Amino acid sequence: MSITMTEFWLISAPGEKTCQQTWDKLVAATRNNNLSVNNKFNIPDLKVGTLDVLVGLSDELAKLDAFVESVVKKVAQYMADVLEDSRDKVQENLLANGVDLVTYITRFQWDMAKYPIKQSLKNISEIISKQVSQIDNDLKSRASAYNNLKGNLQNLERKNAGSLLTRSLADIVKKEDFVLDSEYLVTMLVVVPKTNYAEWQKTYETLSEMVVPRSTNLLFEDQESGLFSVTLFRKAVDDFKHKARENKFTVRDFQYNEEEMKADKEEMTRLSTDKKKQFGPLVRWLKVNFSEAFIAWIHIKALRVFVESVLRYGLPVNFQAMLLQPNKKNMKKLREVLNDLYKHLDSSAAAIIDATMDIPGLNLSQQEYYPYVYYKIDCNLLDFK
């Protein structure tokens, strides 16, 4: 199942005479040949702090970005797992603030209540880090409880399915199929391949001593074989088993025990009820916390653009953040247009690169470097097998 999710390029460039001018230039440059759909990306007036704090923060935010992205993906993937058969419903549960992800990103508004901008950048990033770590831990414990339940239920269901040689026989046989409470007689259950039915009917009475004549009944069939009952004297059981095996008849070890069978059935009902009970609240929790984690993630992108823009373009803060939704067919062309548009930034950027190659904070070597600030936001959060 492919869900056409979207990739965004979040970029920033310094303000020309005004930031509006920077924006107009980008729009004009990408307007032709349908290169991208563009939106202004609103970042509020955050507290700058000192330069060395910014350099350190740049590094921390890169790690935090990767961590939060991984949690967003985990929650989304687990939502898909939990929804099992209705995976097409996954998409409508993966919302941010009640709207689809593309809408949320393209109309991004900083959440002042959650992440107060009077706080320092470091504090804001710590608020996000704590919040998302909590979601990660809660997910682990909730998932483990639910998976446990699901696993136990599947094991029980598996017991009641599969071949007659291995499956549970409890739901196949009835009390009246057995001679019960007899001191001398016992009823055995034998799996006979369909191709050997005639052979069985011909030979079962003589496989050992003391088999009750005409005591066999076909109780159940699957694709390959049938389950027959046969009654004999207890003391002949071992001999009968041995001879049956030589003739490709498989005796199942089975004692009819009503208590045990009832307990199994009740266990299955209990697990099934528990699973249904937990399903609703779990999906609700996943929905709410997917939204929380995703919102946190986009706020980190905003923080990164802010920090990187100040480090690259200097103070006073003067840059325009822009969100591009590239046309898949024209990505290469879009890169070229952006390069032409911003390569003049590179003389100073090149100097910055030379000067900062040894500063771990700027982390430029690990990703492609462009003359403008650039971060990718990939909304393709699910990999369906």
Side-chain angles (χ1 to χ4, degrees):
M1 170 183 312
S2 79
I3 288 178
T4 50
M5 292 301 278
T6 320
E7 175 180 311
F8 290 96
W9 294 357
L10 180 53
I11 70 168
S12 88
E16 311 262 338
K17 287 201 175 62
T18 64
C19 286
Q20 182 59 37
Q21 216 174 337
T22 307
W23 168 252
D24 293 338
K25 267 194 179 167
L26 172 86
V27 172
T30 57
R31 184 178 288 136
N32 300 339
N33 25 13
N34 176 20
L35 294 181
S36 58
V37 177
N38 308 323
N39 286 277
K40 281 185 182 174
F41 189 83
N42 296 312
I43 301 175
D45 296 329
L46 299 166
K47 278 192 161 169
V48 176
T50 62
L51 209 57
D52 47 348
V53 168
L54 284 186
V55 170
L57 197 57
S58 167
D59 214 18
E60 275 165 45
L61 285 170
K63 289 183 197 134
L64 188 54
D65 188 348
F67 168 65
V68 176
E69 179 175 4
S70 78
V71 173
V72 168
K73 285 187 166 157
K74 263 190 261 181
V75 177
Q77 198 56 53
Y78 195 59
M79 171 89 82
D81 295 349
V82 169
L83 287 172
E84 291 173 34
D85 310 324
S86 39
R87 285 192 150 186
D88 43 343
K89 294 217 168 59
V90 178
Q91 223 41 51
E92 65 202 43
N93 282 304
L94 297 182
L95 302 174
N97 251 350
V99 297
D100 68 88
L101 307 184
V102 169
T103 304
Y104 177 79
I105 297 174
T106 50
R107 300 189 190 157
F108 174 76
Q109 290 295 327
W110 187 275
D111 187 329
M112 302 287 181
K114 266 198 197 100
Y115 311 115
I117 59 172
K118 291 202 167 59
Q119 302 258 1
S120 70
L121 296 175
K122 195 160 178 48
N123 280 6
I124 294 173
S125 78
E126 274 163 12
I127 292 171
I128 293 177
S129 174
K130 267 203 196 94
Q131 177 202 10
V132 177
S133 299
Q134 182 66 51
I135 292 175
D136 193 37
N137 291 332
D138 287 355
L139 177 66
K140 281 183 190 129
S141 60
R142 280 167 189 266
S144 131
Y146 189 74
N147 291 352
N148 223 339
L149 189 58
K150 196 163 135 182
N152 291 342
L153 188 57
Q154 277 167 345
N155 287 342
L156 273 185
E157 283 166 351
R158 215 169 282 133
K159 265 191 190 164
N160 290 328
S163 141
L164 276 173
L165 295 168
T166 52
R167 62 166 291 169
S168 158
L169 302 175
D171 59 341
I172 290 175
V173 297
K174 300 181 186 61
K175 194 173 181 175
E176 49 270 25
D177 297 328
F178 294 84
V179 173
L180 297 169
D181 312 321
S182 158
E183 200 179 324
Y184 301 108
L185 293 172
V186 62
T187 302
M188 319 268 313
L189 298 178
V190 186
V191 179
V192 179
K194 284 190 169 167
T195 46
N196 298 25
Y197 279 9
E199 186 65 17
W200 166 259
Q201 294 289 0
K202 213 164 59 206
T203 58
Y204 80 91
E205 293 177 0
T206 53
L207 283 176
S208 72
E209 311 267 298
M210 302 188 185
V211 176
V212 177
R214 294 198 295 285
S215 66
T216 194
N217 283 304
L218 175 61
L219 306 180
F220 184 86
E221 289 186 294
D222 65 13
Q223 256 88 36
E224 288 85 43
S225 32
L227 185 70
F228 287 84
S229 60
V230 58
T231 301
L232 55 149
F233 278 75
R234 286 183 186 275
K235 54 173 145 191
V237 164
D238 287 338
D239 190 27
F240 183 86
K241 276 186 181 169
H242 180 69
K243 291 284 192 326
R245 196 176 310 123
E246 283 175 4
N247 286 277
K248 298 202 166 56
F249 307 138
T250 311
V251 177
R252 288 284 311 256
D253 278 324
F254 181 85
Q255 270 81 42
Y256 186 86
N257 178 332
E258 230 159 352
E259 290 305 301
E260 240 173 62
M261 285 156 63
K262 197 171 151 223
D264 267 1
K265 224 175 218 136
E266 281 169 358
E267 174 69 352
M268 191 141 169
T269 311
R270 187 185 68 75
L271 289 172
S272 176
T273 311
D274 273 4
K275 187 183 165 200
K276 283 197 190 90
K277 255 196 212 133
Q278 286 194 21
F279 176 82
L282 180 59
V283 171
R284 274 197 297 282
W285 184 89
L286 288 166
K287 227 175 136 158
V288 167
N289 288 278
F290 173 81
S291 176
E292 292 293 304
F294 188 85
I295 289 169
W297 186 40
I298 304 304
H299 279 75
I300 291 169
K301 297 288 189 193
L303 284 176
R304 292 189 76 186
V305 169
F306 182 84
V307 168
E308 221 56 35
S309 299
V310 172
L311 285 174
R312 281 212 205 179
Y313 310 142
L315 290 169
V317 176
N318 179 29
F319 66 90
Q320 178 64 53
M322 300 167 279
L323 184 75
L324 283 56
Q325 196 172 336
N327 182 333
K328 283 224 164 40
K329 297 188 199 70
N330 301 335
M331 284 189 172
K332 207 165 165 267
K333 178 75 182 131
L334 179 59
R335 276 283 175 227
E336 288 163 11
V337 167
L338 292 176
N339 258 357
D340 286 347
L341 197 55
Y342 299 125
K343 60 174 184 267
H344 67 280
L345 299 174
D346 218 356
S347 53
S348 58
I352 292 178
I353 288 184
D354 292 339
T356 56
M357 260 327 186
D358 307 329
I359 301 178
L362 276 173
N363 210 339
L364 298 173
S365 51
Q366 282 172 24
Q367 51 162 306
E368 319 129 279
Y369 177 79
Y370 300 102
Y372 47 92
V373 171
Y374 160 79
Y375 294 105
K376 186 164 94 165
I377 303 175
D378 187 355
C379 290
N380 197 13
L381 301 172
L382 294 170
D383 38 337
F384 280 122
K385 310 291 172 281

